[in-house]
Amino acid sequence: MEFDKKSLLKLGKLARISISENKLNNLSKDLNSILEFVDQLKEIKTDQVDPTSNSLNQKLEVRDDKVDNKNSTEDVLENAPEKEMDFFVVPKVIE
Amino acid sequence: MRDSHTLKSLAVLLENKKISSKEVTSEYLKNIESGKELNCYNTISQEKALIDAEKSDERRKSQNLRSKYDGIPIGIKDLFCTKGVATTASSRILSNFIPNYESTVTQKCGEAGMISLGKLNCDEFAMGSTNKTSFFGSVKNPWKSLNSDNELVPGGSSGGSAAAVSGDLCVASLGTDTGGSIRQPASFTGTVGLKPSYGRVSRWGIVAFASSLDQAGPITKTVEDAAIFLDIISGHDEKDSTSSVNPKENYYENLNPDIKGMKIGIPKEFRSDKLPASTQKSWDECADLLKTNGAEILDISLPHTMSALPAYYIIAPAEASSNLARYDGVRYGLRVKGNDLIDMYEKTRSEGFGDEVKRRILIGTYVLSSGYYDAYYIKAQKIRSLIKSDYVEAFKKVDAILTPSTPSTAFEIANEPSDPVQNYLNDIFTVPVNLAGLPGISIPFANDENNLPIGLQLITNSFEEQKLLNVARNIEETISYSETPEKWWLK
Amino acid sequence: MVAQMIEGWNLVIGIEIHAQVNSKSKLFSSSPTDFGSKPNSQVSLIDAAMPGMLPVINKFCIEQAVKSGIGLNAKINKKSIFDRKNYFYQDLPQGYQISQYKDPIVGEGFVEIETENGQKKIGVERLHLEQDAGKSLHDQDPNFTFVDLNRSGIALMEIVSKPDMNSPEEAVEYVRKVRSILRYLGTCDGNMEQGSLRADVNVSVNKPGNELGTRCEIKNLNSFKFIHAAIVYEAKRQIKLIEQGESVNQETRLFNTQSGETRSMRSKEDAHDYRYFPDPDLLPLTLDDDWIKGLQDSIPELPDQIKERFINEYFLSSYDANIIVSDKATSEYFEDVVKNRNPKLVTTWVTGELFSILNKKNLIIEDSPITSKQLGELIDNIENGKISNRQAKEVLEEMCESGKGASEIIDEKGLSQISDENEIESLVDNVLNSNPENVKKYKNGKDKLFGFFVGEAMKLSKGKANPKIVNDLIKKKLSQ
């Protein structure tokens, strides 16, 4: 697999990162170099191996169903770039 | 500055009233001021630190101390959320972010009475090994090569944390390590860097890079200090589902440098022709030293070592691509206006993230995307299983493993390779430890021909931090490494 | 009607139900889940996805998912995985939804529904736990969308059916049945108006014998009426397309509750690439056999079992039993009333008079103005002959109005029925003695006059005489 401009732009869409035309070349070179590097794993046989997504060997800890509402609306909105009437505000979305 | 302090020595000075917290805090604030050129701090908490120091002195007067280390000034990597103090992850996207909550680790430091001097520079979102990816510019290594005046990288991503300890801009510091981000800069700066077992230290309130690999730990001047600091920050946290329920130990109290009868493994896969002769020499000498001190040295094999780095560069970016999705300009951080919601997202993230972060998000997005998931992500997770089982097998035979920390000593900032993969190789010795969730420590062993510190890495089985610190302490005690950088920035 | 409309076509329907877990706090945070609170007042730092925040799972939600699984006759998976479903949206703070993808907590099961052609088994594919998203308000400002994260992180159970339904009625019955089971279990309150239970419906049409058609998914239907209407509209639309020689596009559609139409939201080509992967913040969830066994033992009697019991114990018809058990509160009400009373009479009164009052007043049985105890008292008065059925209806109405008890009203109004044979006998004698002509005519074969005597006797008793006794006595006297 190689990153061409088209696939890179598509990837940028998926990651919500716009990529400017003048950066496309270098970026695709870098990403191809990384892919080439990780592609060496293809040579390792792993048919019989289970994947590990977290190395910690422990049961999932659970919590009780208790309400603890210590974060106020102000806390939650404090850093918001744009807010109004206790809402976060974003450009109009058409569904 | 008189002698350089350690947590241990300073605790004694404070206890004996030879110095007050306010005095020592002012001293370090002065050092920070005069060491500005090193670019270690993103935020200096001058006022707050002095107020906190005064409070500590009052507690000492009224014999109401929070711990033996009450009043000692430390530095905090700018990845730990700190209430009321900017937390930026050295990224433009968080450059205006002031949390109203405190990470578990920094909370624990506060509960021990430690004083935060400020927030330490690092690679953006901890992605890097030279500290060059920081939105606030590179940190400079306090060390310089004998024959050159050129500035060196401090390593990364906890570059500011390591450089600040090395350059006496704090007594000890907090870092985080996802693939070597504590150990590698510690190695580059002649400091001790400890990455605890995955789950030993809470991740709550630390800006996440790769959740299954991230682990906070101390960077200190000595192994003793590392034990002291780990005592303070470790333990179960019910707010972190991946925090270990294993009871924590008293690492400092139980520090025992006796290694008689221990078996130390030397993994053959870490050997390389490309390793500098001086690093190889240190590695050999250290093995001999451990042997002399009563340990048995065994050659071992960790067959999948070379697959660790490529696996890491799939897993870490994959997790990061998802972890960094929350930086979208809606609830906090940078927002760049756009024509519509998607345009706003894309502009915000494009302008808010630096190049390396964007590269990793894109790679991570790619390896998780439909059609590539099995070939990349699942493959890498399988490799991770193989690496983990390599270590499980090894620890049936040995107590600890000794390797170099890094394939080279610190290099010039100007010489950083432009190919990202070349940079990734800096982490080749440290990454397997994260993938397997093990504790690892880098300790300074000697300086190379250019008078630059060489770090060696010790690794033990999960939650065997005590054993790890014991072996490290044995080496430290034997060699008494006491090299310090010449403070060129004071000129 | 529907069957006619789509004659010659097969309808294939699969449904995803999103049922909110009846928990006090959210799935991965301790924020409350109350409905209708002030915007962003039930949001923790975790729900707002502040940097460094981590999820910790709510034990109660795990229990409810497993209980629901047991209620759906499903396999409980002893190991399940939480995954991240990655997509960007203004009301999805993390940039991903924590859900379960390949390894859900509950596997295959089934529910049985009543159809025109008898019982039908509808397969359940899976049930998994996931986070709800926040809410976007698009109508507050012409240029901006407002985001409220109160719902963000609330625990949902997504229940995915197999494509086993073939008519809108079956689809509605299926959702009704699942809702009823969850309500019996107490795992979800089933309040569709408040969005505690929503359905995404997959519809496709094909000619019998042909392969399955392309399906469309209609999102977020929150009433039985809408489910029915959306399926009818969508089936018609697809049939029309195919009959016009066009093809159906696989897409997600929205149902407009005003117009009753569906419209395209996004096509398959625009489908998200969700990049599911195991959430590294959460270890695999493992369940012990003993723990599952404990939950199994705590499962209350469910509608199917209760129905069977009602049929056996109270000799209810399958039809009546079905009506009564479809709702937990109704079956509890019924059972309260039926104890030591005539089941047939109780069934008639519950499904007849009581339901009609509730319907008229648009009330649910929990809010019934007549408690089960009060209805019981009324029925007692019928059973012991104090009042007639007709009188009882009047009494019931009065009970609704005044809130008074049946006996009290009967006494007050002097409605109490005369059942004393001696008293009635003197009434009857009185009537017969006063009408010797008619008695003669009757005896000569004019049978119709029997009603006249009964009527006169009742008139004389001001309607209070027990009509059966009146009848019996008149018959007896006239045959003498």
Side-chain angles (χ1 to χ4, degrees):
Chain A
M1 164 71 199
E2 265 195 33
F3 282 112
D4 50 25
K5 285 186 184 178
K6 198 180 145 215
S7 57
L8 197 51
L9 287 171
K10 200 179 145 202
L11 199 58
K13 273 277 163 207
L14 202 50
R16 293 285 186 260
I17 291 175
S18 62
I19 303 166
S20 58
E21 188 65 31
N22 59 0
K23 289 213 166 172
L24 272 173
N25 274 336
N26 271 337
L27 192 54
S28 79
K29 199 180 98 211
D30 288 345
L31 295 191
N32 281 324
S33 154
I34 296 168
L35 266 198
E36 197 183 318
F37 175 66
V38 301
D39 268 340
Q40 61 179 286
L41 292 184
K42 290 189 171 151
E43 285 155 32
I44 316 279
K45 264 195 108 123
T46 52
D47 306 345
Q48 304 299 315
V49 186
D50 286 330
T52 299
S53 64
N54 195 305
S55 61
L56 188 64
N57 200 359
Q58 187 170 294
K59 279 190 72 163
L60 179 63
E61 292 279 296
V62 297
R63 52 165 243 280
D64 290 333
D65 185 25
K66 280 198 198 124
V67 168
D68 168 8
N69 198 9
K70 60 173 180 278
N71 300 121
S72 67
T73 307
E74 292 72 42
D75 287 346
V76 168
L77 288 160
E78 189 175 310
N79 277 285
E82 214 166 322
K83 55 193 160 189
E84 207 176 310
M85 302 186 320
D86 291 344
F87 290 101
F88 295 99
V89 175
V90 297
K92 186 87 172 174
V93 178
I94 292 145
E95 265 187 335
Chain B
M1 184 103 187
R2 295 167 298 213
D3 308 313
S4 80
H5 296 304
T6 62
L7 295 175
K8 186 188 168 190
S9 70
L10 202 47
V12 175
L13 289 177
L14 286 162
E15 193 185 353
N16 297 337
K17 311 258 163 44
K18 293 273 165 39
I19 194 167
S20 72
S21 174
K22 194 173 179 189
E23 282 165 341
V24 73
T25 301
S26 312
E27 206 175 296
Y28 277 98
L29 286 168
K30 251 179 254 160
N31 290 355
I32 292 169
E33 184 57 36
S34 54
K36 270 213 152 152
E37 206 184 330
L38 295 175
N39 199 24
C40 285
Y41 282 82
N42 289 344
T43 303
I44 304 161
S45 301
Q46 170 108 14
E47 241 171 85
K48 188 175 182 297
L50 287 172
I51 292 169
D52 288 347
E54 271 175 30
K55 285 185 190 157
S56 168
D57 287 331
E58 268 161 37
R59 287 195 293 271
R60 196 168 288 278
K61 229 182 265 167
S62 58
Q63 295 188 315
N64 195 18
L65 285 178
R66 292 179 176 170
S67 79
K68 253 181 115 169
Y69 308 96
D70 199 323
I72 296 184
I74 58 164
I76 293 165
K77 188 179 185 178
D78 205 3
L79 216 60
F80 294 81
C81 290
T82 42
K83 194 172 178 170
V85 180
T87 299
T88 71
S90 292
S91 179
R92 187 180 169 213
I93 211 157
L94 278 179
S95 52
N96 60 358
F97 178 61
I98 300 177
N100 44 32
Y101 53 97
E102 187 81 30
S103 78
T104 298
V105 167
T106 50
Q107 176 85 26
K108 280 170 180 270
C109 292
E111 282 164 8
M114 289 176 139
I115 312 292
S116 169
L117 294 165
K119 304 298 286 290
L120 293 160
N121 201 345
C122 57
D123 280 294
E124 185 182 7
F125 283 101
M127 296 179 193
S129 50
T130 62
N131 218 100
K132 222 177 163 180
T133 71
S134 168
F135 176 62
F136 304 106
S138 294
V139 172
K140 288 159 195 169
N141 195 326
W143 292 85
K144 277 191 177 174
S145 178
L146 264 190
N147 311 311
S148 161
D149 198 37
N150 293 344
E151 285 156 352
L152 305 181
V153 301
S157 67
S158 310
S161 299
V165 172
S166 169
D168 287 318
L169 307 192
C170 61
V171 184
S173 68
L174 288 171
T176 62
D177 189 317
T178 305
S181 281
I182 287 175
R183 291 159 290 157
Q184 187 255 10
S187 171
F188 277 15
T189 57
T191 54
V192 174
L194 170 63
K195 183 204 91 77
S197 310
Y198 183 81
R200 180 71 295 169
V201 175
S202 169
R203 294 188 295 114
W204 195 89
I206 303 172
V207 174
F209 161 16
S211 307
S212 75
L213 302 164
D214 294 346
Q215 191 59 199
I219 294 179
T220 54
K221 282 219 150 68
T222 66
V223 173
E224 284 180 312
D225 273 12
I228 290 168
F229 216 163
L230 185 61
D231 278 334
I232 292 170
I233 64 172
S234 60
H236 178 63
D237 182 3
E238 55 184 29
K239 293 191 282 187
D240 175 0
S241 303
T242 61
S243 157
S244 171
V245 292
N246 284 0
K248 61 181 270 187
E249 296 160 64
N250 290 316
Y251 301 108
Y252 179 61
E253 203 181 296
N254 297 328
L255 202 57
N256 176 4
D258 184 5
I259 57 161
K260 279 194 191 73
M262 267 195 200
K263 291 177 180 146
I264 310 290
I266 308 291
K268 66 174 187 212
E269 289 77 9
F270 282 61
R271 295 194 185 280
S272 160
D273 298 342
K274 290 177 197 150
L275 202 62
S278 50
T279 304
Q280 181 64 50
K281 188 166 159 259
S282 287
W283 191 10
D284 294 340
E285 278 177 16
C286 187
D288 288 344
L289 172 159
L290 290 167
K291 198 174 172 188
T292 309
N293 289 349
E296 190 185 337
I297 305 299
L298 293 173
D299 283 324
I300 58 163
S301 174
L302 298 164
H304 298 94
T305 299
M306 282 307 126
S307 301
L309 201 59
Y312 174 86
Y313 276 97
I314 291 171
I315 296 168
E319 293 185 16
S321 72
S322 176
N323 280 335
L324 271 60
R326 64 189 56 198
Y327 306 106
D328 57 7
V330 176
R331 296 164 315 284
Y332 47 80
L334 178 76
R335 170 184 293 194
V336 179
K337 284 207 173 358
N339 302 325
D340 55 27
L341 181 73
I342 292 178
D343 193 42
M344 185 273 274
Y345 280 157
E346 290 182 349
K347 283 190 172 131
T348 298
R349 291 165 60 78
S350 181
E351 292 176 34
F353 293 135
D355 286 344
E356 178 62 18
V357 171
K358 282 192 265 193
R359 274 197 287 271
R360 295 205 197 186
I361 291 176
L362 291 169
I363 282 288
T365 303
Y366 176 75
V367 298
L368 289 175
S369 64
S370 155
Y372 303 102
Y373 179 78
D374 287 339
Y376 288 103
Y377 181 75
I378 290 293
K379 182 82 183 184
Q381 299 290 40
K382 287 181 170 185
I383 300 285
R384 181 183 200 164
S385 304
L386 292 173
I387 288 161
K388 201 180 171 190
S389 66
D390 279 0
Y391 281 89
V392 169
E393 286 308 306
F395 287 122
K396 286 180 186 162
K397 300 188 201 100
V398 299
D399 294 289
I401 294 168
L402 178 70
T403 76
S405 299
T406 50
S408 75
T409 51
F411 47 85
E412 291 180 15
I413 292 176
N415 283 354
E416 192 192 12
S418 62
D419 178 8
V421 173
Q422 285 307 308
N423 264 320
Y424 296 171
L425 294 172
N426 286 316
D427 294 332
I428 195 156
F429 297 146
T430 47
V431 149
V433 179
N434 298 75
L435 288 173
L438 306 170
I441 191 169
S442 175
I443 54 169
F445 187 80
N447 282 9
D448 71 358
E449 60 279 9
N450 295 317
N451 196 36
L452 295 177
I454 296 167
L456 295 179
Q457 173 179 239
L458 285 161
I459 308 161
T460 56
N461 211 342
S462 288
F463 303 105
E464 289 191 353
E465 273 82 357
Q466 189 66 60
K467 204 188 261 180
L468 182 75
L469 288 160
N470 287 351
V471 180
R473 176 65 187 140
N474 178 284
I475 299 168
E476 180 179 72
E477 221 175 42
T478 312
I479 59 171
S480 357
Y481 175 89
S482 57
E483 307 291 331
T484 51
E486 214 175 291
K487 293 184 171 155
W488 48 266
W489 59 90
L490 294 179
K491 276 179 256 162
Chain C
M1 184 192 92
V2 174
Q4 268 172 357
M5 170 200 71
I6 56 171
E7 215 181 287
W9 291 88
N10 268 342
L11 214 59
V12 179
I13 302 165
I15 297 183
E16 289 163 23
I17 294 175
H18 289 91
Q20 179 179 333
V21 177
N22 204 358
S23 61
K24 292 191 206 78
S25 65
K26 294 184 179 177
L27 182 55
F28 294 110
S29 83
S30 302
S31 309
T33 56
D34 304 328
F35 179 79
S37 303
K38 277 176 50 196
N40 290 306
S41 65
Q42 301 191 154
V43 186
S44 75
L45 300 172
I46 297 167
D47 310 322
M50 303 302 274
M53 292 301 98
L54 297 171
V56 181
I57 196 161
N58 184 335
K59 186 169 111 194
F60 180 81
C61 296
I62 300 171
E63 286 169 5
Q64 305 319 299
V66 172
K67 273 190 183 176
S68 301
I70 296 169
L72 299 170
N73 309 298
K75 180 175 178 281
I76 306 303
N77 290 326
K78 282 195 272 179
K79 184 183 173 189
S80 66
I81 309 272
F82 287 96
D83 296 281
R84 292 185 182 178
K85 180 180 182 179
N86 294 284
Y87 63 99
F88 287 88
Y89 211 60
Q90 73 277 356
D91 54 21
L92 187 74
Q94 291 162 148
Y96 54 84
Q97 175 197 36
I98 305 178
S99 180
Q100 297 190 296
Y101 185 48
K102 281 189 184 145
D103 300 284
I105 187 163
V106 174
E108 290 191 341
F110 66 88
V111 297
E112 295 206 76
I113 59 166
E114 296 280 332
T115 72
E116 285 174 6
N117 312 315
Q119 296 258 316
K120 182 171 176 181
K121 225 180 220 187
I122 306 294
V124 168
E125 181 74 39
R126 57 187 282 159
L127 176 154
H128 69 252
L129 281 167
E130 63 181 28
Q131 298 175 299
D132 204 352
K135 205 169 102 189
S136 297
L137 291 94
H138 305 295
D139 51 3
Q140 302 281 309
D141 188 290
N143 300 315
F144 298 100
T145 290
F146 287 17
V147 181
D148 172 12
L149 298 179
N150 280 349
R151 285 199 72 88
S152 164
I154 281 182
L156 301 179
M157 297 181 281
E158 179 172 325
I159 301 163
V160 184
S161 84
K162 300 202 170 180
D164 286 352
M165 287 148 281
N166 302 105
S167 71
E169 291 76 21
E170 286 182 15
V172 168
E173 267 318 298
Y174 167 76
V175 179
R176 255 189 224 287
K177 189 60 179 282
V178 170
R179 176 173 177 271
S180 158
I181 291 170
L182 301 183
R183 281 164 57 88
Y184 268 90
L185 291 165
T187 58
C188 169
D189 68 19
N191 190 328
M192 297 179 81
E193 240 166 80
Q194 293 182 0
S196 302
L197 195 135
R198 287 110 75 182
D200 298 345
V201 178
N202 282 285
V203 179
S204 73
V205 298
N206 65 333
K207 284 274 184 189
N210 288 4
E211 59 184 59
L212 289 180
T214 307
R215 66 190 156 86
C216 291
E217 186 183 27
I218 312 149
K219 282 262 177 212
N220 253 331
L221 300 167
N222 69 344
S223 83
F224 296 121
K225 205 174 98 193
F226 295 156
I227 292 171
H228 193 277
I231 294 172
V232 171
Y233 178 88
E234 183 58 22
K236 277 187 188 168
R237 188 188 70 88
Q238 292 183 13
I239 291 167
K240 198 173 161 198
L241 276 176
I242 298 169
E243 283 177 340
Q244 288 170 345
E246 291 172 54
S247 60
V248 176
N249 285 327
Q250 187 174 336
E251 59 188 0
T252 305
R253 300 180 67 86
L254 282 178
F255 178 70
N256 184 328
T257 55
Q258 308 291 317
S259 67
E261 294 171 356
T262 66
R263 68 170 165 88
S264 181
M265 190 170 135
R266 60 171 178 264
S267 72
K268 194 190 174 193
E269 290 73 49
D270 306 329
H272 296 298
D273 184 345
Y274 288 123
R275 291 160 286 135
Y276 283 100
F277 75 107
D279 190 333
D281 287 332
L282 294 161
L283 302 168
L285 172 63
T286 50
L287 307 175
D288 298 335
D289 284 324
D290 286 350
W291 184 84
I292 296 173
K293 178 85 184 25
L295 279 188
Q296 260 157 353
D297 294 344
S298 78
I299 296 290
E301 219 183 359
L302 293 175
D304 286 348
Q305 297 157 298
I306 300 180
K307 181 183 163 189
E308 213 180 295
R309 187 163 62 77
F310 281 5
I311 291 172
N312 292 329
E313 239 171 75
Y314 305 124
F315 308 105
L316 259 55
S317 69
S318 172
Y319 178 83
D320 284 341
N322 221 30
I323 291 175
I324 290 169
V325 305
S326 71
D327 177 71
K328 190 186 179 193
T330 308
S331 74
E332 281 171 358
Y333 189 105
F334 172 79
E335 195 133 51
D336 277 349
V337 182
V338 81
K339 259 184 211 125
N340 304 317
R341 296 196 177 96
N342 178 346
K344 206 160 177 195
L345 197 56
V346 173
T347 307
T348 315
W349 276 87
V350 170
T351 60
E353 294 308 311
L354 181 71
F355 276 16
S356 99
I357 287 174
L358 294 178
N359 269 343
K360 230 180 279 167
K361 296 188 181 274
N362 200 16
L363 288 173
I364 52 171
I365 198 157
E366 286 94 325
D367 302 330
S368 168
I370 311 291
T371 65
S372 54
K373 213 178 146 195
Q374 286 174 318
L375 186 66
E377 192 190 327
L378 180 71
I379 291 173
D380 286 342
N381 278 301
I382 305 170
E383 275 194 89
N384 64 26
K386 254 189 145 177
I387 51 171
S388 66
N389 256 309
R390 190 180 52 76
Q391 287 174 313
K393 284 178 194 173
E394 275 172 45
V395 175
L396 188 68
E397 259 166 52
E398 179 70 22
M399 285 163 75
C400 276
E401 303 290 303
S402 65
K404 287 179 186 160
S407 302
E408 195 185 343
I409 293 169
I410 291 166
D411 287 349
E412 266 179 24
K413 296 206 153 189
L415 286 175
S416 186
Q417 189 170 263
I418 302 166
S419 297
D420 182 69
E421 281 205 34
N422 292 330
E423 203 175 322
I424 295 175
E425 194 172 357
S426 72
L427 280 171
V428 169
D429 287 344
N430 199 339
V431 169
L432 297 181
N433 294 337
S434 324
N435 294 286
E437 284 303 302
N438 282 340
V439 170
K440 201 180 273 176
K441 280 183 189 164
Y442 177 85
K443 286 190 171 168
N444 287 334
K446 206 163 183 193
D447 290 357
K448 275 186 186 161
L449 281 167
F450 187 79
F452 164 77
F453 299 125
V454 173
E456 286 300 298
M458 291 305 290
K459 216 186 272 171
L460 209 57
S461 75
K462 295 189 182 105
K464 285 197 277 180
N466 184 322
K468 193 171 175 291
I469 300 175
V470 172
N471 268 285
D472 290 352
L473 276 175
I474 293 176
K475 202 170 275 175
K476 198 174 132 197
K477 299 246 168 192
L478 287 175
S479 64
Q480 271 165 9

